[in-house]
Amino acid sequence: MAKYIFVTGGVTSSLGKGIIAASLAKLLQARGFKVTIQKLDPYINVDPGTLNPYEHGECYVTDDGAETDLDLGHYERFLGTPTSQANNVTTGRIYQYVINKEREGAYLGKTVQVIPHITDEIKRRITLLASKHDYDIIITEIGGTVGDIESQPYIEAIRQLEWEMGNENCIIIHLTLIPYLKAAKELKTKPTQHSVKLMNENGLSPDIIACRTEEPLNADIKRKIALFCNVTEDAVIEAADAETIYDVPLLMMREHLDAICLQKLKLPLRNEPDLKNWKEFLNKLKHPKSKVVIGLVGKYVELQDAYKSILESFVHAGAMNECKVEVRNVHSEFLTAENIKSELSGLDGILVAPGFGSRGIEGKILAIQYARENKIPFFGICLGMQCSVIEFARNVLGLSQANSTEMDKLTTDPVIDIMEDQKNVVQMGGTMRLGAFDCEIDPQSKSYEVYGKSYISERHRHRWEFNNKYLEAFEQNGMKAVGRNPETGLVEMVEIPAHPFFIGAQFHPELKSTVENPHPLFVGFIKAAGEYAKEKKGRNTLESTSN
Ligand code: GLN
């Protein structure tokens, strides 16, 4: 039978429950347990697919095509195992299911209520993962903060589960903030006491208190928290600010978070966590031998969460190349023919980001033209790839009006067009081309070199596609379709063979990069950027010596 660890948050949001949950999972996995993580989100949207990145950050897509919370990205990056629809549940999805059942008459004339019907459905979703897989431990993170009205049914569901399963099968970690008051030179425990009291009022008592803090917690503070929050002293865990999120598993190990959980769940400790690969990665990350500057061209650059997986993929690929990746944000909306050179000067590589709608499109196209003409390593993802096709059509094929029908419905040259099966779609949620699809790579391509194989599977999230009517013209003029879907013939990857590194991918490689398996396309891109940087340096020294 699987055992459960619930992670709740108190005092404030954004304390990093996802990172704590992922770090704990990593430690348990490294001890030999089979672990997964689940996120329950208390909002009414059925999934975050319809949410603006400004509201919610990136939408993470799983192999089975679920549009999910970005925390699932952390889970996959830390654990290296795939998640699925069952790993992310929202209040919207719970209610949708219960209401549909009510319409079918499944409740046999009963009044449908939050308790027991909504809470029963929450419990069913929590235990569903265990019924389908043989996990030893399931970590469930509850979004939001205790005390939020919308979190109440989740808190009640956990209370019931704990009552049903017993405390040795079900424990709670409460993550809170211990603020440091500069004027008083003191760490304050009162907000944590209040937050635990709120849980107590709902019939829950945390087993472990994890404390986010900027200052170390001394023994006195730990004892005080233990006393007022009714936990053992060793169950007060310091969660100090870390240099990188990838340090957190080691920090949690130092605090024995994994061992305490196992002890409370009456599970054997097994072996010490085997973190050899993880430490090697950290070592490379912290001791880079070179540096590259990559321009991230997008329209949400002011909000880092919007490109979370891309930024993390750079971290993984940088470590693999023993190279520090400095990301320079370039706002595509403000790029013009006049400022393009100054805005992009000094870059060793240019990544054009995914996106929806026409804002910032012309800036992306200008950046791509600049990368193509100046032979700067270029990597376009989804909309970034589509823009590289538009750019090539306009500036190389001479189709000055070329566009995607997403941006201009009536364009005379729809080089990117909506997929046939998308034309009659009216519902927006969950209807894109979503999830993992196979792709076959041309052995005569840079992409093949980078992947080292011809069959890959990558995750998608889009409605528009390369228009195959133009394929011949592109190929004859130097842009090749090097990745195709073997069943449908859809173009999944384009390249310019005459360019040192120019790759566009219709899919999202960033969703599959993990600490222990950095994505080959990112690794290849950073490598190419490193070579470009070196060559540029050589050129500059040559120029200065000849001057
Ligand atoms: N807007 C484009 C499409 O729907 C690209 C989507 C994306 O970049 N994820 O096809």
Side-chain angles (χ1 to χ4, degrees), residues 83-156:
T83 54
S84 69
Q85 179 66 74
N87 294 75
N88 191 198
V89 179
T90 68
T91 294
R93 194 170 288 277
I94 302 269
Y95 271 82
Q96 188 185 45
Y97 182 87
V98 170
I99 291 169
N100 286 345
K101 253 177 86 173
E102 183 275 335
R103 292 289 82 186
E104 287 163 15
Y107 294 109
L108 306 175
K110 289 265 186 231
T111 307
V112 180
Q113 294 177 298
V114 173
I115 303 170
H117 302 100
I118 295 296
T119 46
D120 277 354
E121 179 54 16
I122 294 174
K123 288 193 288 178
R124 191 182 72 84
R125 298 278 180 163
I126 292 172
T127 48
L128 196 65
L129 272 168
S131 66
K132 289 200 175 147
H133 308 266
D134 56 342
Y135 292 117
D136 301 311
I137 301 165
I138 294 171
I139 301 178
T140 301
E141 177 194 344
I142 315 291
T145 311
V146 286
D148 296 348
I149 290 177
E150 50 192 22
S151 300
Q152 292 284 44
Y154 293 94
I155 299 292
E156 170 60 12

Side-chain angles (χ1 to χ4, degrees), residues 352-385:
V352 176
F356 294 84
S358 54
R359 185 169 67 93
I361 277 295
E362 295 304 323
K364 287 185 171 174
I365 293 172
L366 281 171
I368 295 165
Q369 181 179 8
Y370 186 82
R372 182 177 57 76
E373 292 179 347
N374 293 288
K375 299 219 180 310
I376 303 169
F378 165 78
F379 188 14
I381 299 181
C382 207
L383 183 62
M385 172 266 199

Side-chain angles (χ1 to χ4, degrees), residues 353-357 381-384 386 406-407 432 461-465 506 508:
F356 294 84
I381 299 181
C382 207
L383 183 62
Q386 296 175 356
E406 179 181 9
M407 318 306 160
M432 282 188 245
R461 182 172 187 254
H462 56 105
R463 294 185 205 278
W464 275 265
E465 290 286 351
Q506 182 58 79
H508 291 267

